[in-house]
Amino acid sequence: SSQLAGERIRYYLENEFVDNPANAVYNALIYANGFIFEYARKNPAYEHLQVSCAIVLIRDNKAYYSTMGDAGVYFFNGRKLNLIARGDAETHLPEGDAIVALPAESPSFMGLSRDVAPYVNELALVPLEDDIILMSDEVLGERVSEKYIQKILTDPMPVQTKIYRLADMATRTD
């Protein structure tokens, strides 16, 4: 089901150009949600389907992001890992050098309703050269300590290796 969301979002963004990147992210989520909702409605085995999704669109070196369900978008500035978007948790938006806390909302999962209104950041996040934007579901935070995540992200290894290490730690069952 998350794969279906990813496919529909990618399809929308590859086939529809929207001038405003925040609107493109919003429209892609609305499109994917409608597709998943109809798929679940037509396939009884998928009734009450709940899909989490995180999306980051980078255009002109500016990042626009949104989440649905319990997927999260994190921002790492080389010193601290900040949860900047997740429907079911307090988030912390970068504002200059400060981090501004926003209260938790009820998670809005894809597929549960035809009508959703995902939050999308209107002001672009402009990452600097060594900043990292990370997307994950709640499993990363539950299974991997913030200290270990920071240790991996500050290591000089290639970014792809960092991703493999974090994914390995998050999916371990021991």
Side-chain angles (χ1 to χ4, degrees):
S1 53
S2 292
Q3 182 178 353
L4 184 59
E7 289 169 1
R8 294 292 88 200
I9 289 167
R10 175 177 281 146
Y11 177 85
Y12 181 88
L13 293 173
E14 288 176 349
N15 291 286
E16 299 290 333
F17 183 80
V18 178
D19 285 332
N20 181 323
N23 289 344
V25 169
Y26 182 87
N27 294 348
L29 285 171
I30 296 297
Y31 169 76
N33 179 71
F35 191 92
I36 291 168
F37 179 80
E38 286 301 316
Y39 182 84
R41 191 177 65 79
K42 293 175 182 175
N43 295 284
Y46 292 95
E47 188 177 19
H48 306 296
L49 183 65
Q50 295 185 49
V51 179
S52 293
C53 178
I55 177 174
V56 175
L57 173 65
I58 299 175
R59 189 185 292 172
D60 300 325
N61 294 321
K62 297 175 184 171
Y64 299 86
Y65 53 84
S66 183
T67 67
M68 293 191 72
D70 54 16
V73 177
Y74 299 81
F75 176 74
F76 183 69
N77 64 4
R79 297 183 309 273
K80 179 145 178 58
L81 183 68
N82 294 289
L83 176 63
I84 59 174
R86 193 169 96 190
D88 64 346
E90 180 177 280
T91 56
H92 301 86
L93 301 177
E95 201 170 273
D97 287 336
I99 302 295
V100 179
L102 295 177
E105 298 178 14
S106 297
S108 176
F109 289 90
M110 297 177 88
L112 287 180
S113 170
R114 184 183 314 270
D115 300 316
V116 294
Y119 166 81
V120 179
N121 64 314
E122 289 293 323
L123 296 175
L125 173 62
V126 183
L128 301 176
E129 188 172 316
D130 292 332
D131 292 342
I132 297 173
I133 299 172
L134 176 70
M135 297 182 294
S136 176
D137 62 12
E138 81 283 356
V139 172
L140 179 66
E142 290 175 357
R143 295 192 180 167
V144 184
S145 72
E146 184 175 334
K147 185 176 180 179
Y148 186 79
I149 294 169
Q150 288 180 349
K151 179 181 176 191
I152 293 293
L153 294 178
T154 56
D155 192 288
M157 69 182 94
V159 173
Q160 189 169 0
T161 304
K162 294 177 186 186
I163 293 167
Y164 287 144
R165 291 233 176 118
L166 289 172
D168 182 55
M169 289 299 297
T171 57
R172 279 194 181 162
T173 57
D174 50 276

